[in-house]
Amino acid sequence: MMTDAATDAPGPRPLAGLFRFLGHQLWAALFAVILLAAILGTKLIWQEGWALTRYDALVLIAVASQVAMLAFRLETWDEFKVILLFHLTGTVMEWFKVSAGSWSYPEAGVIKLFDVPLFTGFMYAAVGSYIARSIRLFDIVLAPFPPFGLVVALAVGIYANFFAHHFLPDIRLALFAASVLLFFRTRLTLTAGGRRRSVPMLGAALLVAGLLYIAENIGTFTGTWVYAGQKAWEPVRLGMLGSWYLLFFVSFATVLVVFRGACRPGPWLRSNRASGPAHRSEARGSGS
């Protein structure tokens, strides 16, 4: 549950505050919003006989959007570094998953490599863009944050399991448990509507997983990609929520390679009342 880190000023009415918060989230997720709008829009208007294929148009839209966001300073170069890294790691995973038959891209396209249209890397990059922009726009602080080496180890284990479970036992249950062990005390403090607010890190991970699940259904509804055995559109199986939940931690660890300043190390395995006010004071100070 989200709580206020500062209560000395009256806040907006709950509904207005909710809409404002959602608006801020959409602004932070601008790149993802553009890509989803492009996926839906091109599906509605594209004709089979056009010289430019829909997949290739999506690549060009993604590149143009990225250039525009940098040109208009909606994205920083540090954020672009994160996006580039996400694009590379996401594309590698797409190559593997498509070759393994997990899903496919049924439409034609020139800008395709190993049967994967290259706009797919931008979909993973959009997750990184959202997290990176959120840290900057909302002045996010993560405290108490576990040792960064353990966070990286968790992210590497999750990423490796996306590949290895095709050949070895699936260890995602152990990875779920590790994520809870590492982050069950961590809170994400942010500025929203002029106030500092706090939400559990694990709750944020579940929220992002839910949003990605909605985006996944938009992709399959438009036929942009098709899961193995899918004949006609049907909702993506709920089990995918677990995959997106785990991917969130890969995303966050990657972003924090560049945005380490958002992390506040602390007693992540035990309660320490003395450290709580210090974290809260530091979080308030970072938003001024």
Side-chain angles (χ1 to χ4, degrees):
M1 176 179 291
M2 183 173 287
T3 58
D4 290 341
T7 57
D8 52 349
R13 281 184 278 184
L15 191 58
L18 175 62
F19 282 120
R20 177 182 293 182
F21 180 74
L22 291 176
H24 288 164
Q25 294 300 307
L26 289 173
W27 179 242
L30 178 60
F31 191 40
V33 170
I34 291 172
L35 288 183
L36 284 177
I39 288 172
L40 282 167
T42 54
K43 180 63 177 180
L44 290 173
I45 68 170
W46 221 257
Q47 302 296 317
E48 191 172 334
W50 287 3
L52 184 67
T53 69
R54 177 171 169 254
Y55 283 169
D56 293 341
L58 289 172
V59 175
L60 297 178
I61 291 170
V63 172
S65 299
Q66 185 61 74
V67 171
M69 289 183 70
L70 285 170
F72 290 103
R73 298 183 180 180
L74 299 175
E75 205 162 63
T76 68
W77 282 102
D78 279 345
E79 290 161 3
F80 175 73
K81 294 174 188 175
V82 170
I83 284 172
L84 182 60
L85 182 56
F86 267 94
H87 194 289
L88 294 173
T89 56
T91 299
V92 169
M93 189 160 69
E94 284 287 323
W95 287 339
F96 177 82
K97 290 292 189 179
V98 169
S99 68
S102 298
W103 57 79
S104 63
Y105 294 90
E107 298 180 26
V110 175
I111 313 177
K112 243 180 170 184
L113 191 60
F114 304 122
D115 295 321
V116 175
L118 296 188
F119 76 84
T120 59
F122 286 105
M123 296 189 299
Y124 292 87
V127 180
S129 173
Y130 166 68
I131 295 174
R133 277 172 54 83
S134 293
I135 289 175
R136 174 169 57 87
L137 294 173
F138 302 134
D139 191 22
I140 286 176
V141 171
L142 302 161
F145 199 78
F148 191 68
L150 294 180
V151 175
V152 171
L154 173 65
V156 170
I158 291 170
Y159 188 73
N161 190 61
F162 282 135
F163 298 84
H165 80 86
H166 288 271
F167 316 105
L168 300 172
D170 191 344
I171 62 168
R172 71 179 60 204
L173 291 180
L175 295 169
F176 288 141
S179 72
V180 173
L181 178 64
L182 284 179
F183 291 104
F184 78 105
R185 289 194 182 278
T186 304
R187 297 190 70 85
L188 185 154
T189 305
L190 69 157
T191 301
R195 310 179 75 190
R196 292 297 285 177
R197 302 178 186 274
S198 178
V199 62
M201 178 75 168
L202 294 175
L206 289 171
L207 176 62
V208 172
L211 294 174
L212 291 172
Y213 177 78
I214 294 172
E216 185 91 79
N217 278 281
I218 291 174
T220 56
F221 177 75
T222 57
T224 307
W225 58 89
V226 178
Y227 278 98
Q230 194 175 25
K231 304 299 182 183
W233 183 79
E234 57 188 25
V236 176
R237 60 186 178 85
L238 286 173
M240 288 299 296
L241 277 169
S243 297
W244 286 116
Y245 168 86
L246 291 174
L247 184 67
F248 170 84
F249 292 102
V250 178
S251 305
F252 228 105
T254 306
V255 170
L256 292 179
V257 169
V258 177
F259 291 91
R260 288 284 295 279
C263 305
R264 301 289 187 271
W268 56 283
L269 275 180
R270 58 184 175 83
S271 177
N272 187 331
R273 295 181 183 273
S275 68
H279 283 306
R280 288 194 291 272
S281 175
E282 188 172 13
R284 287 190 191 188
S286 67
S288 59

